[in-house]
């Protein structure tokens, strides 16, 4: 998979399982090029006591690449997810604001991660037990113990991207986040804590310009800043996963993926140039196309 594949997989994670599988088939242009292994997720939840969990994540396998799989974590979708955001990142966001307001506030940066850690000691232990990254971290360990996969990646958008980076750093598994909140200041609050080296070595965050969510917490070393084609008065538009997918395709190329019609119709990107030998316009192709999901 390439960057746009992680972005799109993170986007369709918000859909129901049946819809998401259809969307992946359309995206890759071949049926079952990427397949959800829901059995593995359900078996893990039963064996490790996570059946009551509200966290949504899926395991995607690629039959043409044996031994490789991607865990996709859904981002913020409801009030519970929003409260989870606050629980994980509230202290870091508050201290970022204080640092901004204080004269010479940047001088405090080297110790802020310890201040965040101290603030989180006051957190109720019952809340610590339901932190969602605990489940995805255990799932990665579970899959590695089985030895079925030679290579695992984890990805997600928004809160899903933040959780992906936490679990990736904890288990030394490559994590690709799309518009995820960062974790440099919060790294000592997690159980187990995360080293700065792990943050810088195993996490990558794709950050659209003016996107508010990735402004939370301090960034690790591996960040890819991308453009956002919304106006400056619409920063929340830069957080849309569908727009990020389109932006990556526009800036970096689409490879052999078809440009989704929503890139032009919903997000205002220019129509792509037809491939040589194509005898129909992009508009005509969109009329015939089974619609890909808009995020």
């Amino acid at each position: 998979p390439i960057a746009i594949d992680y972005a799109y997989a993170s986007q369709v994670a918000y859909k129901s399982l049946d819809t998401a599988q259809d969307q992946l088939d359309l995206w890759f242009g071949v049926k079952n090029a990427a397949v959800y292994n829901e059995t593995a997720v359900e078996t893990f939840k039963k064996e490790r006591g996570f059946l009551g969990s509200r966290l949504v994540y899926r395991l995607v396998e690629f039959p043409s690449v044996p031994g490789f799989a991607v865990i996709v974590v859904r981002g913020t979708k409801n009030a519970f997810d929003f409260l989870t955001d606050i629980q994980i990142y509230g202290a870091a966001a508050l201290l970022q604001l204080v640092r901004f307001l204080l004269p010479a506030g940047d001088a405090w940066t080297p110790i802020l991660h310890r201040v965040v850690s101290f603030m989180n000691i006051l957190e109720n232990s019952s809340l610590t037990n339901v932190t969602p990254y605990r489940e995805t971290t255990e799932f990665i360990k579970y899959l590695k113990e089985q030895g079925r996969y030679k290579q695992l990646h984890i990805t997600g958008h928004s809160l899903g991207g933040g959780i992906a980076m936490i679990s990736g750093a904890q288990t030394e598994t490559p994590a690709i986040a799309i518009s995820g909140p960062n974790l440099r200041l919060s790294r000592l609050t997690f159980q187990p804590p995360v080293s700065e080296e792990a943050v810088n070595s195993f996490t990558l965050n794709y950050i659209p310009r003016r996107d508010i969510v990735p402004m939370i917490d301090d960034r690790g070393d591996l960040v890819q800043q991308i453009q956002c084609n919304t106006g400056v008065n619409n920063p929340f538009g830069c957080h849309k996963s569908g727009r990020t997918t389109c932006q990556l395709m526009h800036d970096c190329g689409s490879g052999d993926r078809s440009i989704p019609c929503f890139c032009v119709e919903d997000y205002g990107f220019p129509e792509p140039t037809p491939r040589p030998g194509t005898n129909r316009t992009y508009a005509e192709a969109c009329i015939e196309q089974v619609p890909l999901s808009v995020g």
Side-chain angles (χ1 to χ4, degrees), residues 41-54 135:
V41 176
E42 291 303 320
T43 301
F44 161 75
K45 288 187 174 187
K46 290 177 182 177
E47 292 183 4
R48 299 298 171 92
F50 290 103
L51 277 178
S53 167
R54 297 188 184 185
E135 183 173 347

Side-chain angles (χ1 to χ4, degrees), residues 189-249:
T189 68
F190 308 131
Q191 297 299 325
V194 171
S195 69
E196 188 168 13
E197 181 182 2
V199 173
N200 294 335
S201 300
F202 294 99
T203 68
L204 168 63
N205 201 1
Y206 283 89
I207 300 179
R209 294 189 185 277
R210 301 190 305 280
D211 189 348
I212 292 176
V213 172
M215 295 181 185
I216 298 173
D217 211 314
D218 285 357
R219 302 174 179 180
D221 285 353
L222 299 180
V223 170
Q224 180 61 62
Q225 189 93 43
I226 63 175
Q227 297 296 324
C228 174
N229 72 338
T230 66
V232 294
N233 60 343
N234 184 23
F236 289 103
C238 295
H239 191 63
K240 288 184 175 292
S241 55
R243 174 173 273 112
T244 298
T245 300
C246 297
Q247 190 73 60
L248 285 168
M249 298 183 89

Side-chain angles (χ1 to χ4, degrees), residues 274-289:
R275 291 192 176 101
T278 301
N279 57 7
R280 59 179 177 172
T281 67
Y282 184 73
E284 290 171 339
C286 283
I287 293 174
E288 301 171 12
Q289 184 189 74

Side-chain angles (χ1 to χ4, degrees), residues 129-188:
N129 290 334
V130 297
T131 45
Y133 65 80
R134 175 172 166 261
E135 183 173 347
T136 47
T137 295
E138 286 300 314
F139 186 47
I140 292 173
K141 292 178 179 178
Y142 172 83
L143 294 176
K144 289 185 175 182
E145 288 169 5
Q146 289 185 325
R148 177 174 177 178
Y149 304 104
K150 296 179 180 178
Q151 189 174 21
L152 276 170
H153 289 178
I154 184 168
T155 190
H157 168 260
S158 192
L159 171 64
I163 292 172
M165 288 195 289
I166 296 169
S167 292
Q170 288 181 328
T171 61
E172 298 188 348
T173 301
I176 301 90
I178 311 297
S179 293
N182 300 289
L183 63 152
R184 201 166 202 159
L185 294 180
S186 304
R187 66 183 188 273
L188 297 185

